[in-house]
Amino acid sequence: RFSQMLHPIFEEASNVIKEEYPDKNQVVFARVDCDQHSDIAQRYRISKYPTLKLFRNGMMMKREYRGQRSVTAIADYIRQQKSNPIREVQDLEEISSLDRSRRNIIGYFEEKDSDNYRTFERVANILHDDCVFLSAFGAISKAERFSGDNVIYKPPGENAPDMVYLGSLTNFDLIYAWTQDKCVPLVREITFENGEELTEEGLPFLILFHMKDDLESLEKFQQEVARQLIGEKGTINFLHADCDKFRHPLLHIQKTPADCPVIAIDSFRHMYVFPDFSDLSVPGKLKQFVLDLHSGKLHREFHHGPDPTDVAPGQPIQDLASSPPESSFQKLAPSEHRYTLLREKDEL
């Protein structure tokens, strides 16, 4: 029913945009009947209808359109997406006044009409929600182009050192991978606003629940994830959450903010608790916890008890005869009984 309601709105929005961008290669509106093309729906993890996804250069953007379902709102969204994601610097003094709480990518080019800049522009179009992109050209950028066109990353923090991209500036895959690594943190914060988006990535969560001002625990977690689990990137999402805001997920594992910091895995079926936060720095301990998820060991041991020759790596928080704690975020996972984090927030 909702797809049928959206269809004429979507079509009218496409006509509005077509008048503004008549070149058929600039903006393409398309629709897919997922009953007829279930392979496409499966490939892009479409589980609710209608879903509006944005693609750039053949790549699906991770943030789907969640704005108003009106002609004006959809058209405004496309206009916003067509705006230049790169701010041109007119004086290098502007660099010294950048917001250092953000992740900044700066490109220094001899000229705008170049393959180097066009590749940089493609990357910025995809990752502009995650980083601030800036560029400088010609005489303004000359001081930074001592060895040719140059791209640098300025990480958050006033004293954080710059990082220089050393690969080919015309190789899109290389520069995109480098920039994505810098723009998208290994350990991301989960909030009420991005929870559904993270769930739709389809990967289980390894979550550190910590108090907002407990930056020491967060730093330790980030270090151990980078040390032990960098090879698992792409198989599990590394997240951290505010214990006060996420009291409800903590209740699912019989914890309260007073117990934080707490590490848990949410598989979207059940939640499993890392035995003791103090064991975080024990070599291989966190990695084994994640490997036991992938092998099915955590699920098996919560249902049937520890393996005969092993000790359960997940802390049993219920009698083994009862069901293991259900996923706190399964309400967000694709299912026929779908809720949103905002609904859960209202219930807190």
Side-chain angles (χ1 to χ4, degrees):
R1 180 168 68 91
F2 293 110
S3 297
Q4 293 171 352
M5 291 169 60
L6 179 61
H7 181 210
I9 295 171
F10 188 70
E11 189 164 349
E12 186 177 345
S14 74
N15 291 330
V16 170
I17 292 299
K18 185 177 180 179
E19 290 183 5
E20 297 182 27
Y21 303 97
D23 184 344
K24 65 179 182 180
N25 293 322
Q26 287 199 7
V27 181
V28 176
F29 277 70
R31 57 190 176 97
V32 178
D33 183 332
C34 291
D35 287 332
Q36 292 187 16
H37 302 283
S38 58
D39 55 328
I40 296 178
Q42 184 176 7
R43 178 179 177 184
Y44 295 110
R45 297 191 292 274
I46 306 301
S47 58
K48 62 187 191 304
Y49 310 100
T51 293
L52 298 181
K53 292 280 191 181
L54 179 71
F55 288 75
R56 286 186 179 276
N57 300 305
M59 298 178 64
M60 184 182 74
M61 302 296 95
K62 60 186 179 182
R63 291 177 176 84
E64 68 184 52
Y65 176 77
R66 290 193 173 90
Q68 289 185 342
R69 305 298 174 92
S70 70
V71 173
T72 300
I74 294 174
D76 284 344
Y77 172 73
I78 295 299
R79 294 185 190 104
Q80 180 187 9
Q81 293 298 319
K82 289 295 293 179
S83 63
N84 192 342
I86 305 172
R87 177 164 69 87
E88 185 174 340
V89 173
Q90 302 300 328
D91 190 319
L92 290 186
E93 286 297 317
E94 295 179 39
I95 304 299
S96 61
S97 60
L98 289 177
D99 180 357
R100 293 308 298 268
S101 67
R102 303 288 304 276
R103 297 166 183 270
N104 296 281
I105 302 286
I106 309 169
Y108 299 101
F109 303 95
E110 183 175 0
E111 54 186 35
K112 184 178 291 188
D113 185 16
S114 65
D115 289 340
N116 286 350
Y117 180 70
R118 280 187 282 271
T119 305
F120 183 74
E121 199 172 30
R122 285 181 64 194
V123 172
N125 272 318
I126 296 170
L127 295 172
H128 69 273
D129 287 334
D130 301 295
C131 266
V132 175
F133 286 84
L134 305 99
S135 62
F137 303 96
I140 295 172
S141 66
K142 187 174 182 180
E144 296 290 338
R145 290 188 289 104
F146 45 86
S147 59
D149 288 356
N150 194 20
V151 173
I152 68 165
Y153 165 61
K154 284 186 176 294
E158 291 296 333
N159 300 316
D162 295 348
M163 301 180 70
V164 181
Y165 172 69
L166 300 176
S168 166
L169 287 171
T170 57
N171 188 317
F172 171 78
D173 292 335
L174 284 180
I175 192 169
Y176 174 76
W178 181 86
T179 308
Q180 184 185 46
D181 181 64
K182 303 299 178 286
C183 292
V184 182
L186 183 61
V187 179
R188 293 177 284 176
E189 181 178 12
I190 184 170
T191 65
F192 290 117
E193 290 71 30
N194 70 359
E196 187 169 7
E197 174 188 307
L198 289 171
T199 302
E200 286 172 347
E201 292 182 12
L203 300 177
F205 295 164
L206 175 68
I207 311 176
L208 167 69
F209 294 95
H210 68 108
M211 301 305 291
K212 186 175 182 179
D213 58 354
D214 181 12
L215 300 181
E216 182 179 348
S217 295
L218 175 58
E219 183 177 358
K220 187 174 182 181
F221 180 69
Q222 290 171 327
Q223 290 174 349
E224 291 305 320
V225 166
R227 182 178 293 120
Q228 299 187 40
L229 295 171
I230 191 67
E232 295 300 316
K233 185 178 180 181
T235 68
I236 190 167
N237 272 331
F238 310 116
L239 307 170
H240 67 100
D242 185 329
C243 284
D244 275 331
K245 291 182 179 179
F246 283 85
R247 290 171 179 263
H248 185 76
L250 286 173
L251 288 176
H252 277 251
I253 53 176
Q254 296 185 352
K255 300 288 185 182
T256 70
D259 298 309
C260 290
V262 172
I263 297 173
I265 286 176
D266 193 317
S267 70
F268 300 147
R269 296 179 66 189
H270 302 301
M271 293 187 75
Y272 310 101
V273 183
F274 188 68
D276 194 323
F277 182 82
S278 62
D279 290 339
L280 180 62
S281 57
V282 175
K285 190 89 170 183
L286 188 64
K287 182 174 183 178
Q288 190 59 53
F289 184 52
V290 172
L291 294 179
D292 287 347
L293 168 75
H294 295 325
S295 70
K297 183 177 181 181
L298 291 182
H299 185 78
R300 183 176 67 251
E301 291 191 341
F302 264 100
H303 279 288
H304 306 294
D307 287 349
T309 59
D310 223 339
V311 177
Q315 177 185 349
I317 61 174
Q318 296 184 352
D319 190 306
L320 289 170
S322 63
S323 299
E326 288 189 349
S327 162
S328 161
F329 297 98
Q330 66 178 353
K331 294 178 181 179
L332 300 177
S335 74
E336 54 191 82
H337 306 293
R338 189 176 182 84
Y339 293 79
T340 67
L341 262 178
L342 293 178
R343 173 70 180 274
E344 190 170 345
K345 181 181 181 183
D346 293 339
E347 296 173 349
L348 294 181

